[in-house]
Amino acid sequence: MKPFRSSSSSLLSPMAAAVTVVAVSIILSATAVPPVAAATVEHTFVVSQVNMTHMCNEIPVTVVNGQLPGPTIEVTEGDTVIVHVVNKSPYNLTIHWHGVYQMRNCWNDGVPMVTQRPIRPNGNFTYQFDVAGQEGTLWWHAHDAFLRGAIYGALIIRPRNGAASYPFPKPHKEIPILIGEWWEKDLAAVDRNFSRGLYDEFSSGSTINGKLGDLFNCSGVFEDGYVLDVEPGKTYLLRIINAALFSEYFIKIAGHKFTVVAADANYVTPYTTDVIVIAPGETMDALVVADAAPGRYYIAAQPIQAPPPDTQTPEFATRGTLQYTGGVTNSSRADVVAPEMPHEHDTIKSFYFHGNLTGLRHRQRAGAGARRRASLRHARAGLHMPARPQVVQERDEPKSNQVIANMNNVSFHDATATPILEAHYYRRGGNGVMRLEPTSRATVVRRFRHGDVVDIVFQSTAMLQGDSNPMHLHGHDMFVLAQGIGNYDAATDEAKFNLVNPARKNTVLVPNLGWAAIRFVADNPGAWFIHCHFEFHLAMGMAAVFVVEDGSTPNTSLPPPPPGFMEGSP
Ligand SMILES: *[C@@H]1O[C@H](CO)[C@@H](O)[C@H](O)[C@H]1NC(C)=O
Ligand SMILES: *[C@@H]1O[C@H](CO)[C@@H](O)[C@H](O)[C@H]1NC(C)=O
Ligand SMILES: *[C@@H]1O[C@H](CO)[C@@H](O)[C@H](O)[C@H]1NC(C)=O
Ligand SMILES: *[C@@H]1O[C@H](CO)[C@@H](O)[C@H](O)[C@H]1NC(C)=O
Ligand SMILES: *[C@@H]1O[C@H](CO)[C@@H](O)[C@H](O)[C@H]1NC(C)=O
Ligand SMILES: *[C@@H]1O[C@H](CO)[C@@H](O)[C@H](O)[C@H]1NC(C)=O
Ligand SMILES: *[C@@H]1O[C@H](CO)[C@@H](O)[C@H](O)[C@H]1NC(C)=O
Ligand SMILES: *[C@@H]1O[C@H](CO)[C@@H](O)[C@H](O)[C@H]1NC(C)=O
Ligand SMILES: CC(=O)N[C@H]1CO[C@H](CO)[C@@H](O)[C@@H]1O
């Protein structure tokens, strides 16, 4: 994924989406969680600039609690999380809890000017949310400008009944692996440049758990790399998170295989592979058995980019080491076994990898939502979001089997005065759509009735830019019904929908020059951001807001904002 520099291309990675609402009300049955007293997990996140030195350069980096990555939040399903964010940085920011459902708790979703005003410099804000009905690996990150490039960390949800209830053998250890980038730039300035169409901004390296590794050096002295110590014969659960702003990555460990068991905090049918492909915003949980000859093996992460004619941009691989305890005495790099990496242009590998992920049926709680037969009618309609759009179209309120939203050619623009959620909450009964300015950029808001089953086809069109697009929906998981290369054709492609065991994701990768069809149940009242998780595409406006209206009962409605909402950052 790369910013494009070529002045000849007028559009970048255009997307098309068709939104069809099928008016089938589905009440998801409440999950049978044992009535165990839940704990409260409390953290204080102080956001500040600290100097860090890599590759001979000392630079200020905006991080949480002086760490990169930031603190890992570890919870048991059903726990309450409280995080006090104290902003000692010079920037406005919010923290988003990526993938947490936030059921009836949209106020704590952490999207500036969508769910809250940003936390100002010297301001503070306390997030509170329950982590219920989901387990696995999620993460948190800043949701303002490009600051999430260094403000991120893991959020790990363990089963209430303990590791014995994993649908796979209990691992010896669980290890977060966060893939990131090293930027020697003021990320807020990078964001401003992208918003103004200045795309010549690149990171200087990639990282594993904040470490650059031995492909980078300062005057010949190698950068520290991440080291994973393993005991022969033991099994490790890697909780892999792509926190990078710009790239999908191939991940390999020389001499070892992965068994992918979960993605985006949803269990998947175990899938054994020697390479994991992960896009920004996605998480993959994978088992690795230490069954190779004792020694040292590189854990390598290689960025992927679309082949020419796409503009080629600097990409940086990074690597850490898996080393067997005992018997390893030779510290020479030459003895570390390196994996053979796929070619950076091998985008079809990403397509196949994602195509091989299916939901683990007996653990798929709301799978019924995807299996429910519904009459679908897709409209082919462009969602050319990052382009400078020409047309703003509007349609009627939702009706059965009718196309209700046409996001063609509208580039998202932040609300400027009032956060969208606040406007929605205090001005119910409005005309259903935020005012759309008759300009090229607008605040695109689509409304759904509570319980609507929504099908969307994301279509990347064959323009100059062939980027993939990891589309992330807040507040809901999406069932991935099908994906394809080329243009979606309802007449033939609908038959390919997996209504039996689709993977459930909060971030769905739309393949390069292809499409992905998803379904979600709009069962969480609030204003939810949907956007591409390539920061560069987001800065260009590849985003919209889905407003899910209240249901008919208090427990299907959005409560008022929590007491003291935004008092620490007026
Ligand atoms: C941090 O780095 C900047 C240069 O980027 C330097 O001017 C400043 O003195 C450093 N601060 C500290 C506390 O070392
Ligand atoms: C921070 O946000 C406030 C609105 O909440 C805005 O007035 C101010 O200009 C913003 N500051 C920066 C540096 O963006
Ligand atoms: C942003 O654009 C300006 C003007 O072209 C340039 O001077 C600057 O280096 C760019 N990048 C950053 C991070 O400020
Ligand atoms: C250590 O590595 C060096 C360089 O690869 C090699 O020459 C040497 O034989 C190795 N020593 C052992 C004990 O394996
Ligand atoms: C699964 O992966 C294999 C090997 O890469 C590939 O041939 C196959 O088409 C993939 N399946 C799907 C459904 O994408
Ligand atoms: C979106 O813009 C493109 C490029 O100008 C145009 O060809 C297309 O018809 C537009 N789509 C819609 C639905 O307005
Ligand atoms: C909401 O409350 C009603 C009773 O008022 C109950 O029957 C229903 O199961 C609840 N629904 C959910 C989703 O909790
Ligand atoms: C948060 O902000 C409020 C209001 O400005 C202030 O009273 C309080 O001391 C702040 N808390 C922290 C931890 O900074
Ligand atoms: C930042 C830095 O010192 N990089 C060096 C890494 O090593 C190569 C050659 O080994 C040098 O060319 C780089 O300047």
Side-chain angles (χ1 to χ4, degrees):
M1 194 335 287
K2 40 244 71 312
F4 79 121
R5 289 183 285 179
S6 154
S7 54
S8 62
S9 44
S10 59
L11 295 175
L12 40 122
S13 193
M15 302 267 312
V19 178
T20 303
V21 167
V22 182
V24 178
S25 283
I26 293 183
I27 307 297
L28 297 176
S29 49
T31 309
V33 176
V36 181
T40 296
V41 176
E42 199 160 350
H43 286 260
T44 297
F45 281 12
V46 178
V47 183
S48 69
Q49 285 193 326
V50 299
N51 279 359
M52 294 187 179
T53 304
H54 288 296
M55 295 188 282
C56 301
N57 289 330
E58 182 181 52
I59 53 159
V61 187
T62 309
V63 295
V64 169
N65 297 358
Q67 300 170 230
L68 182 63
T72 297
I73 298 178
E74 300 194 56
V75 302
T76 300
E77 191 273 337
D79 284 353
T80 297
V81 177
I82 296 177
V83 182
H84 308 284
V85 177
V86 180
N87 186 4
K88 297 291 176 199
S89 84
Y91 308 113
N92 280 346
L93 54 87
T94 61
I95 304 285
H96 169 59
W97 317 96
H98 183 111
V100 174
Y101 292 150
Q102 303 285 11
M103 182 55 74
R104 299 174 57 242
N105 192 32
C106 191
W107 303 105
N108 281 282
D109 194 44
V111 184
M113 297 317 284
V114 175
T115 65
Q116 67 175 98
R117 290 180 172 76
I119 310 167
R120 306 235 208 150
N122 292 314
N124 64 69
F125 184 80
T126 296
Y127 291 93
Q128 177 165 347
F129 52 92
D130 296 340
V131 180
Q134 50 189 164
E135 52 195 52
T137 306
L138 295 175
W139 59 299
W140 55 265
H141 58 80
H143 215 308
D144 213 343
F146 280 46
L147 295 177
R148 77 168 178 86
I151 299 180
Y152 64 86
L155 196 168
I156 291 168
I157 310 160
R158 298 216 165 74
R160 175 112 322 240
N161 293 336
S165 72
Y166 283 139
F168 46 81
K170 184 176 181 302
H172 175 59
K173 278 192 177 152
E174 304 183 8
I175 316 284
I177 300 282
L178 293 95
I179 309 299
E181 287 152 351
W182 179 247
W183 286 81
E184 297 181 314
K185 295 190 172 198
D186 174 350
L187 288 167
V190 172
D191 180 67
R192 281 195 298 278
N193 281 4
F194 269 99
S195 308
R196 282 161 36 212
L198 303 170
Y199 310 123
D200 251 324
E201 304 280 3
F202 308 104
S203 70
S204 308
S206 300
T207 57
I208 297 176
N209 291 344
K211 299 192 169 186
L212 285 148
D214 66 0
L215 295 175
F216 303 91
N217 67 82
C218 172
S219 308
V221 178
F222 297 122
E223 284 285 336
D224 269 353
Y226 170 71
V227 178
L228 170 59
D229 287 305
V230 300
E231 292 176 41
K234 297 272 166 75
T235 299
Y236 296 81
L237 177 65
L238 306 189
R239 297 176 174 277
I240 307 171
I241 297 164
N242 184 345
L245 301 179
F246 272 51
S247 294
E248 263 188 82
Y249 283 82
F250 293 123
I251 297 176
K252 285 185 89 168
I253 303 178
H256 294 77
K257 281 188 165 18
F258 301 102
T259 301
V260 181
V261 292
D264 293 5
N266 287 293
Y267 294 113
V268 300
T269 311
Y271 171 53
T272 300
T273 172
D274 66 346
V275 60
I276 282 177
V277 190
I278 188 166
E282 288 189 299
T283 74
M284 299 287 161
D285 290 1
L287 297 171
V288 173
V289 182
D291 57 1
R296 296 199 297 153
Y297 300 86
Y298 279 121
I299 304 168
Q302 156 76 51
I304 304 174
Q305 68 176 322
D310 266 53
T311 311
Q312 300 298 291
T313 56
E315 300 284 358
F316 301 98
T318 181
R319 60 193 189 183
T321 315
L322 177 152
Q323 71 181 18
Y324 284 71
T325 54
V328 183
T329 50
N330 201 329
S331 61
S332 162
R333 285 170 80 235
D335 289 342
V336 187
V337 184
E340 193 176 315
M341 296 308 284
H343 194 275
E344 62 168 349
H345 293 154
D346 194 357
T347 56
I348 197 74
K349 256 205 169 51
S350 169
F351 179 75
Y352 287 146
F353 174 87
H354 287 90
N356 272 284
L357 298 181
T358 54
L360 190 60
R361 287 182 67 178
H362 73 282
R363 296 294 281 257
Q364 192 132 3
R365 290 178 168 136
R371 288 196 290 279
R372 188 72 62 104
R373 283 199 69 80
S375 70
L376 305 170
R377 211 186 66 197
H378 294 282
R380 288 300 316 287
L383 172 62
H384 292 210
M385 303 195 67
R388 291 291 173 244
Q390 294 80 20
V391 185
V392 176
Q393 293 189 355
E394 263 312 304
R395 296 285 172 93
D396 293 333
E397 284 289 286
K399 290 199 183 86
S400 297
N401 293 328
Q402 191 189 354
V403 179
I404 59 105
N406 184 337
M407 296 189 276
N408 292 12
N409 293 351
V410 183
S411 175
F412 188 80
H413 193 269
D414 279 346
T416 46
T418 309
I420 291 167
L421 183 64
E422 198 178 310
H424 164 64
Y425 184 80
Y426 291 106
R427 297 178 213 153
R428 285 155 204 265
N431 69 359
V433 180
M434 302 294 289
R435 218 187 89 71
L436 284 176
E437 303 148 32
T439 60
S440 60
R441 286 175 79 98
T443 306
V444 187
V445 176
R446 303 300 160 196
R447 281 184 181 260
F448 300 102
R449 286 172 307 183
H450 190 278
D452 276 348
V453 177
V454 182
D455 279 29
I456 300 178
V457 174
F458 296 112
Q459 175 78 61
S460 304
T461 52
M463 306 298 287
L464 270 177
Q465 288 285 315
D467 287 338
S468 61
N469 293 280
M471 298 301 291
H472 173 52
L473 174 61
H474 292 208
H476 303 78
D477 280 337
M478 301 171 275
F479 294 101
V480 186
L481 303 181
Q483 60 165 0
I485 303 293
N487 287 331
Y488 175 78
D489 178 358
T492 55
D493 290 330
E494 218 174 285
K496 298 175 192 156
F497 282 9
N498 176 0
L499 301 179
V500 178
N501 63 346
R504 257 181 103 155
K505 306 278 276 90
N506 62 56
T507 305
V508 172
L509 186 66
V510 184
N512 305 61
L513 306 179
W515 54 270
I518 65 99
R519 176 174 302 174
F520 76 97
V521 182
D523 61 356
N524 192 1
W528 304 103
F529 211 28
I530 177 168
H531 61 97
C532 182
H533 223 274
F534 285 135
E535 204 61 23
F536 141 71
H537 286 177
L538 176 55
M540 300 297 296
M542 191 184 280
V545 171
F546 287 174
V547 166
V548 177
E549 290 173 347
D550 285 345
S552 54
T553 59
N555 65 2
T556 53
S557 299
L558 180 69
F565 190 67
M566 294 311 299
E567 267 171 18
S569 191

